[in-house]
Amino acid sequence: MSEIATKTGHYYEKQLNCKSSVIAWSHGARFQTARRLIGTGPVGQLLDYGCGDGTFLAMVADRVGTAVGADVAADQLRDCAERFADRPGVRFAHVRDLAAPEHAGAYDVVTCMETLEHCPTPVVEVVLADLGRLCKPGGRVVISVPVETGPPFLLKYAVRTAAAWRGLSDYRYYETYTPLNALKMLTAGKGTTLPRPVYGPPGAESLSHYGFNWRALRERVRHHLTLDATHFSPLGWLGGLASSQAWFVCRPKGAA
């Protein structure tokens, strides 16, 4: 792993190097799970769709022939390119560049972690279609999203509240739930919906974690991809009852 590339990334500093040991442990477990779910052997071509500061690419560079990180934030891509300049096997591209023909079906593994919960519904549909288009027919798509419903809702709310009290990063801006909406999140099924706050200018809207329902998102995943397995982290053996992330291991539709 490239320590410089990882430790100078904003995401690494905010989450994996967080002063809250619970937050750091949960996010560390996320990346260890991702490293396991991409497969145990070498990977020829890997695409991280919504790569952020490149933390995951730094963690798997030793196992990947060519790694591509794609994102929509131009300033973030420039920062990644500078920090990974000494790694010829890792490069970065804007998401719109993935429309070029050479990317279609080019990747053995496509990952998309903690991205879809921030996308408005029309964008979710575009991204899921992209993940299937970019993955090789015999390849693997690994998606993760946060678990914000059921018992984890209460656990995460308590941890975030404590982090806000300590003044840690953006946790002080986390939205509060009305008692009715909190009850809906605690008892949510795949059809449960809440109005979700939208941020950003028209054409660049994004959502927070507020009201996100991983079960509903899994149904959209099934529409675009063949879903082979659902995993959870951390404490995956509890079946998501005390986990902060849900993982969907998929393959393109029609692939054996």
Side-chain angles (χ1 to χ4, degrees):
M1 178 175 66
S2 172
E3 294 292 338
I4 295 177
T6 302
K7 290 189 175 180
T8 56
H10 67 90
Y11 183 89
Y12 183 96
E13 292 296 339
K14 174 185 173 182
Q15 306 289 30
L16 279 83
N17 204 29
C18 185
K19 293 180 180 179
S20 166
S21 58
V22 174
I23 292 173
W25 167 68
S26 174
H27 287 80
R30 173 189 306 172
F31 285 100
Q32 291 304 315
T33 300
R35 186 175 167 87
R36 173 173 58 84
L37 291 180
I38 66 170
T40 57
V43 176
Q45 305 274 341
L46 180 142
L47 170 67
D48 189 16
Y49 195 113
C51 65
D53 70 352
T55 293
F56 181 61
L57 296 181
M59 290 181 172
V60 298
D62 61 322
R63 292 177 46 195
V64 177
T66 300
V68 177
D71 210 282
V72 296
D75 57 341
Q76 187 162 251
L77 291 170
R78 286 192 297 269
D79 177 65
C80 285
E82 291 177 3
R83 290 187 291 109
F84 285 80
D86 62 342
R87 288 193 167 267
V90 181
R91 58 190 179 89
F92 296 89
H94 196 281
V95 164
R96 63 172 173 264
D97 297 332
L98 300 177
E102 61 264 27
H103 291 283
Y107 298 96
D108 300 287
V109 176
V110 178
T111 58
C112 182
M113 299 182 292
E114 310 302 301
T115 297
L116 290 171
E117 69 273 16
H118 299 297
C119 300
T121 299
V123 178
V124 168
E125 299 299 311
V126 171
V127 173
L128 289 175
D130 261 356
L131 300 182
R133 177 182 62 84
L134 297 164
C135 186
K136 289 182 178 179
R140 178 178 301 187
V141 178
V142 178
I143 299 168
S144 80
V145 291
V147 177
E148 302 286 347
T149 59
F153 167 76
L154 294 179
L155 293 171
K156 294 175 86 168
Y157 199 79
V159 170
R160 287 165 173 160
T161 299
W165 286 342
R166 295 175 63 184
L168 298 182
S169 191
D170 296 336
Y171 291 99
R172 61 186 180 276
Y173 301 118
Y174 188 70
E175 301 98 336
T176 57
Y177 285 81
T178 66
L180 178 58
N181 283 349
L183 180 62
K184 288 182 177 179
M185 295 302 288
L186 188 59
T187 60
K190 65 182 181 181
T192 303
T193 60
L194 264 68
R196 301 185 63 199
V198 178
Y199 301 94
E205 298 93 343
S206 66
L207 309 177
S208 69
H209 286 207
Y210 185 95
F212 178 74
N213 185 344
W214 71 270
R215 288 186 174 87
L217 189 279
R218 183 168 62 176
E219 296 307 303
R220 301 314 306 155
V221 170
R222 285 193 172 113
H223 180 76
H224 290 273
L225 300 160
T226 297
L227 177 62
D228 290 324
T230 300
H231 300 271
F232 300 94
S233 69
L235 305 176
W237 54 275
L238 289 175
L241 291 176
S243 300
S244 58
Q245 293 93 31
W247 297 83
F248 310 128
V249 180
C250 315
R251 52 194 159 90
K253 286 275 191 180

